[in-house]
Amino acid sequence: MVGKEISQAVIRRMPRYYRYLGELLDEGVERISSNELSSRMQVTASQIRQDLNNFGGFGQQGYGYNVKYLYEEIGKILGLNEKHNIIVIGAGNLGQALANYVKFEKLGFVIIGLFDVNPALKGTLVRGIEVRMLDELADFVKDHKVDIATLTMPKEAADSVADLVVSLGIHAIWNFAHVDLQVLDENVVVENVHLSDSLMQLSYNIVKSHTKE
Amino acid sequence: MVGKEISQAVIRRMPRYYRYLGELLDEGVERISSNELSSRMQVTASQIRQDLNNFGGFGQQGYGYNVKYLYEEIGKILGLNEKHNIIVIGAGNLGQALANYVKFEKLGFVIIGLFDVNPALKGTLVRGIEVRMLDELADFVKDHKVDIATLTMPKEAADSVADLVVSLGIHAIWNFAHVDLQVLDENVVVENVHLSDSLMQLSYNIVKSHTKE
């Protein structure tokens, strides 16, 4: 089923399903109707059925969804049944914050290396992970399987660091630098996180709510 | 023009226009055609025209867009012509990372306070901002105009802190806790940032790119 062409809009909603199903599991809920899931997630039941039908359904009419089964299947769709080794390049505050997120590890994303160009950070330990210098990356990649490179450096350096990690055979980039990375290799997948975009969206909604009043 | 009902999908694209136009301005570009902007942003020219028409257009047929004018108008739409005072609740790594983002300040989002419940952090300075204890928040809000509260604490505490900030009259929440906040007050705007959702989307695209090979 994985590999079928599914719209990115549907994919963007999947992690949210996964998160809510995980909470239901934690609460000991074994079975849930699309109506109950709908009211909990504040999306329509028809949206839920449509989204899940992209992957073959998972529900039985009048019987609801088996929470554990659905959770695991969505996990597989999202690739969470495999462990992903991550490195973080840029060991400033944001890089260290990401390295400290234990939540990622629970999802199978394990941070195995931290890199920076600032010699003052060399050898610093963050949750037991040593900060290495960027010129040690090539050797590190020879010895370790790296699935994802996280970039948290200033935008001026981001494109060249992206080129470096791609040249070393890393095929996935999680980018926090303030730029949409231009990676020309079509085998490389990039996810850009623009925190300031989300702040601007909030600010739009503040203005809108004021004009409503 | 602001206040007209525009779909959130269009709004989500606006910060990206703003970012690209800012880069053009930095490069000294005064005028750009929708075709040039299209190839730069990798969206269709017709999408750009459609998006901007929601706000009245801004372009003249065959003449292109005035970069500075368009940048400023989109800035106004996004509420960036006003300063927004922000506080950050949760002064751990992520809270400190956010307080250190000078980029936000350039956009008019000024972090004026940092709060935590951990007494060990009391008085710590982050870019000149003192970490205060959460029980000082009520007094702080009396003395300072706070537009946005950023939440970076564990999800277990997030709903009660959200209730607290709303009760103190703060009407916008930028939430990094791993939970979709349930704020019932319809005058309060919430923007949830789920970093792990973005990581899962990346992981989906990794799986998909492998099955293509």
Side-chain angles (χ1 to χ4, degrees):
Chain A
M1 238 164 348
V2 173
K4 195 179 132 188
E5 200 57 55
I6 292 166
S7 86
Q8 285 287 317
V10 175
I11 298 310
R12 263 195 295 276
R13 289 192 288 269
M14 285 297 128
R16 193 158 173 263
Y17 287 110
Y18 190 76
R19 195 150 33 83
Y20 275 79
L21 289 163
E23 283 172 17
L24 287 167
L25 264 187
D26 286 347
E27 292 167 20
V29 177
E30 290 179 6
R31 193 159 282 285
I32 193 162
S33 68
S34 57
N35 283 331
E36 285 169 282
L37 191 56
S38 151
S39 85
R40 195 161 170 137
M41 293 187 61
Q42 302 188 305
V43 294
T44 66
S46 114
Q47 170 90 80
I48 293 177
R49 281 189 295 266
Q50 256 177 45
D51 281 347
L52 298 181
N53 277 339
N54 279 295
F55 304 97
F58 310 119
Q60 235 175 294
Q61 197 69 39
Y63 191 60
Y65 298 106
N66 177 316
V67 174
K68 184 155 182 283
Y69 176 72
L70 187 54
Y71 177 78
E72 288 172 349
E73 290 301 308
I74 293 180
K76 282 183 210 163
I77 290 165
L78 292 170
L80 304 179
N81 51 331
E82 287 174 40
K83 202 182 88 171
H84 296 87
N85 286 338
I86 304 192
I87 57 168
V88 177
I89 305 180
N93 281 286
L94 180 60
Q96 297 198 20
L98 295 173
N100 273 305
Y101 260 54
V102 286
K103 166 87 183 177
F104 297 153
E105 212 146 288
K106 286 186 197 148
L107 294 168
F109 300 95
V110 182
I111 296 182
I112 60 165
L114 272 167
F115 294 85
D116 208 290
V117 292
N118 178 359
L121 290 172
K122 189 178 162 75
T124 306
L125 288 180
V126 182
R127 217 158 54 93
I129 307 158
E130 182 194 341
V131 178
R132 293 178 169 85
M133 293 295 96
L134 190 56
D135 58 18
E136 301 173 63
L137 181 60
D139 280 338
F140 184 87
V141 171
K142 277 180 205 149
D143 297 337
H144 302 81
K145 181 174 171 286
V146 177
D147 302 301
I148 299 171
T150 306
L151 309 191
T152 73
M153 75 285 303
K155 72 172 184 177
E156 292 70 24
D159 276 309
S160 70
V161 174
D163 289 344
L164 171 68
V165 304
V166 170
S167 77
L168 295 174
I170 300 171
H171 285 102
I173 297 177
W174 196 28
N175 174 46
F176 286 79
H178 304 295
V179 62
D180 289 337
L181 282 183
Q182 306 294 336
V183 177
L184 296 175
D185 187 332
E186 60 174 21
N187 295 313
V188 176
V189 292
V190 177
E191 173 80 14
N192 294 300
V193 180
H194 290 295
L195 294 179
S196 52
D197 284 15
S198 118
L199 202 43
M200 288 189 245
Q201 212 176 316
L202 180 58
S203 147
Y204 171 85
N205 286 316
I206 293 173
V207 173
K208 204 181 71 173
S209 78
H210 286 173
T211 51
K212 256 197 322 202
E213 275 162 15
Chain B
M1 243 166 339
V2 172
K4 193 179 134 188
E5 200 58 54
I6 291 166
S7 85
Q8 285 288 317
V10 175
I11 297 310
R12 263 195 295 277
R13 289 193 288 270
M14 284 297 128
R16 194 158 172 261
Y17 287 109
Y18 190 76
R19 195 150 33 85
Y20 276 79
L21 290 163
E23 284 173 17
L24 287 166
L25 264 188
D26 287 346
E27 291 167 20
V29 177
E30 290 180 4
R31 193 160 283 285
I32 193 162
S33 69
S34 57
N35 283 330
E36 285 169 281
L37 191 57
S38 151
S39 85
R40 196 165 171 132
M41 293 187 61
Q42 302 187 307
V43 293
T44 64
S46 113
Q47 170 90 81
I48 293 177
R49 282 189 295 266
Q50 258 178 44
D51 281 347
L52 298 182
N53 277 340
N54 278 296
F55 304 97
F58 308 120
Q60 235 174 295
Q61 198 70 37
Y63 190 62
Y65 298 107
N66 177 317
V67 174
K68 184 156 183 284
Y69 176 71
L70 186 54
Y71 177 79
E72 287 171 352
E73 289 301 308
I74 293 181
K76 281 183 213 164
I77 290 165
L78 291 170
L80 304 178
N81 51 331
E82 286 175 38
K83 202 182 88 169
H84 296 87
N85 286 338
I86 303 190
I87 58 167
V88 177
I89 305 180
N93 281 285
L94 181 60
Q96 297 199 20
L98 295 173
N100 273 303
Y101 260 53
V102 285
K103 167 85 183 178
F104 297 153
E105 212 145 287
K106 286 185 197 148
L107 294 168
F109 300 95
V110 182
I111 297 182
I112 60 164
L114 271 166
F115 294 85
D116 207 290
V117 291
N118 178 359
L121 289 172
K122 188 177 162 75
T124 305
L125 288 180
V126 181
R127 215 158 57 92
I129 308 158
E130 182 194 341
V131 178
R132 291 178 170 85
M133 292 295 96
L134 189 56
D135 58 19
E136 301 172 63
L137 181 60
D139 281 337
F140 185 88
V141 170
K142 276 180 209 150
D143 298 336
H144 302 82
K145 181 174 169 285
V146 177
D147 303 300
I148 299 171
T150 306
L151 309 191
T152 72
M153 73 286 301
K155 73 172 185 178
E156 292 71 23
D159 275 310
S160 70
V161 175
D163 289 344
L164 171 68
V165 304
V166 170
S167 76
L168 295 174
I170 300 171
H171 285 102
I173 297 177
W174 196 28
N175 174 45
F176 286 79
H178 304 292
V179 63
D180 289 337
L181 283 183
Q182 307 293 338
V183 177
L184 296 175
D185 186 331
E186 61 175 20
N187 294 314
V188 176
V189 292
V190 177
E191 173 80 14
N192 294 300
V193 180
H194 290 295
L195 294 179
S196 52
D197 284 15
S198 118
L199 202 43
M200 289 190 243
Q201 212 176 317
L202 180 58
S203 145
Y204 171 83
N205 285 316
I206 293 173
V207 173
K208 202 180 72 171
S209 76
H210 286 173
T211 50
K212 258 198 321 202
E213 276 164 14

